[in-house]
Amino acid sequence: MAKILVIDDAKFTRTMLKRMITEFGHESIEAENGREGLEKITSEDPDLVLTDILMPEMDGTELLSLLRETNMDVKVIVISANIQDTIRDQCMNLGVSEFFGKPPDKEKLKKAIEGILAKEEQDS
Amino acid sequence: MTAPTGKQLDTLREVVNIGIGKAASILNGMLESHIELEVPSIIMFDPENPGEELPDVSCNDLSSVQLDFHGPFSGSSALVFPSESVGKLVTALTGEEPGSEGFDEETTGTLYEVGNILINAVMGSIANLLAVQIDFLPPNYKEGKFSDLIKLKDSKEDLASLLIRANFNVQEPLISGNIFLVFELDSFGELLTAIDNL
């Protein structure tokens, strides 16, 4: 069982993702913005992060930039309503593993999560 | 402002249609119900006095999620529901029934995120098709009459706008809604340039 951190300011989406993660057999923890997410990445050491982009206090791209600058080795999937190609490219350039438009297709998200976790285990 | 040609309006309608189709597909997945779409209409519009052009949305009991956008062209986009559809939508998505504890809070949060998802689907598809980047301000949730909901931020009171409207109907539960895109006319030339570059 992996520990997966969900960062999103919308309770509706956090609830939806938590339900999916539990169904996939993993533990879900939550944060409401990038700043709280960063604190939980440090304190909880999650195996994987699912983050939104447009959030108050600290948005997703700021969080991704900070993770990159500080060499924090955590895999990230972005799940954003903003499906513009330019946003997707920006996220991919900041090192995210996958990008999904909201709401994510459950089976595709499961496949992406399991693929990332399997690769992490193989590399460790 | 240069008046758009028939060809430009046709292309604009189709670009919006593709975006609305993307949003409908998402809503279809969320509600597991067929969504009926109407062809988008394009209207010259006075935000202060919408009654004449939009008689069916002149009631005072509407709920809306609105995102203002900026980029090569600026304006506002809104997802608008009559109040009787709001409760049905929130119940269908969350399982919470009207009158239950916390339903009002659940309503605002759910509409905020559903509006965010659907409007971004429309505007994101348009931006991708036109190969431009559009930046959004965070969503606003508002209730009230149409003229208050659709008012553009920072626009002059007397500034007319170009409004694109698409109606949709969910079959089960019966939910009706509208997606409105309001372009500030002083930036409309940039939109037409992007359309001409397609």
Side-chain angles (χ1 to χ4, degrees):
Chain A
M1 179 192 277
K3 188 194 285 184
I4 299 177
L5 172 62
V6 174
I7 309 173
D8 199 305
D9 57 323
K11 185 184 165 207
F12 174 78
T13 292
R14 291 200 308 275
T15 305
M16 173 184 65
L17 291 174
K18 183 179 181 178
R19 199 178 300 134
M20 288 184 188
I21 289 165
T22 306
E23 206 176 301
F24 301 160
H26 301 298
E27 179 193 355
S28 158
I29 53 175
E30 296 179 20
E32 293 188 15
N33 57 58
R35 191 172 307 285
E36 196 185 320
L38 191 61
E39 285 167 13
K40 290 217 169 160
I41 289 169
T42 309
S43 63
E44 299 274 348
D45 191 22
D47 300 294
L48 178 63
V49 174
L50 311 186
T51 185
D52 189 14
I53 291 297
L54 187 62
M55 293 180 288
E57 301 228 9
M58 181 191 288
D59 70 22
T61 48
E62 279 179 87
L63 173 67
L64 292 170
S65 300
L66 268 172
L67 292 176
R68 199 172 191 188
E69 281 166 21
T70 52
N71 294 317
M72 290 183 90
D73 189 23
V74 62
K75 297 292 177 195
V76 179
I77 294 176
V78 168
I79 301 177
S80 172
N82 193 335
I83 57 168
Q84 295 180 68
D85 294 340
T86 48
I87 300 296
R88 178 188 293 264
D89 292 346
Q90 191 183 356
C91 291
M92 298 314 281
N93 288 336
L94 285 168
V96 308
S97 301
E98 294 279 352
F99 182 102
F100 286 90
K102 281 184 181 178
D105 178 88
K106 191 164 77 175
E107 289 310 311
K108 286 181 183 165
L109 180 63
K110 183 181 180 186
K111 199 175 166 188
I113 289 174
E114 301 309 338
I116 291 167
L117 293 175
K119 190 165 186 310
E120 282 292 278
E121 199 171 310
Q122 209 173 35
D123 292 346
S124 64
Chain B
M1 181 200 103
T2 315
T5 64
K7 188 183 169 198
Q8 285 171 326
L9 286 177
D10 243 25
T11 308
L12 177 60
R13 194 176 286 111
E14 185 56 10
V15 166
V16 173
N17 210 14
I18 291 167
I20 300 287
K22 171 80 181 167
S25 163
I26 290 172
L27 191 59
N28 169 276
M30 292 170 92
L31 292 171
E32 295 177 347
S33 178
H34 179 66
I35 316 290
E36 279 176 16
L37 292 176
E38 292 176 20
V39 177
S41 49
I42 300 178
I43 305 161
M44 286 298 293
F45 167 76
D46 173 6
E48 291 298 304
N49 187 19
E52 231 172 73
E53 299 95 336
L54 301 160
D56 57 320
V57 289
S58 59
C59 75
N60 296 332
D61 205 8
L62 298 168
S63 296
S64 156
V65 179
Q66 185 174 337
L67 270 80
D68 293 337
F69 56 85
H70 303 276
F73 37 87
S74 302
S76 189
S77 42
L79 179 67
V80 179
F81 292 103
S83 61
E84 63 266 22
S85 285
V86 170
K88 291 182 200 170
L89 179 70
V90 173
T91 299
L93 289 170
T94 67
E96 295 286 334
E97 293 290 340
S100 64
E101 195 182 338
F103 183 77
D104 288 347
E105 193 189 338
E106 196 78 55
T107 296
T108 307
T110 302
L111 282 184
Y112 179 99
E113 184 66 342
V114 169
N116 186 30
I117 291 169
L118 297 184
I119 292 171
N120 267 285
V122 177
M123 295 305 297
S125 295
I126 293 171
N128 289 345
L129 281 167
L130 298 180
V132 297
Q133 178 166 342
I134 301 169
D135 297 318
F136 294 99
L137 296 178
N140 282 314
Y141 174 71
K142 292 182 189 171
E143 293 175 350
K145 60 181 180 180
F146 184 76
S147 57
D148 292 335
L149 300 182
I150 210 74
K151 202 172 282 182
L152 288 170
K153 270 187 187 167
D154 307 326
S155 75
K156 295 167 194 159
E157 288 293 306
D158 58 350
L159 182 68
S161 305
L162 187 130
L163 181 141
I164 302 174
R165 172 189 187 175
N167 300 340
F168 62 88
N169 293 293
V170 183
Q171 280 189 341
E172 180 57 44
L174 202 58
I175 294 168
S176 62
N178 297 274
I179 291 176
F180 291 97
L181 310 178
V182 186
F183 293 90
E184 293 171 1
L185 281 194
D186 54 0
S187 71
F188 192 61
E190 297 296 325
L191 175 63
L192 295 182
T193 303
I195 284 171
D196 287 339
N197 290 338
L198 272 178

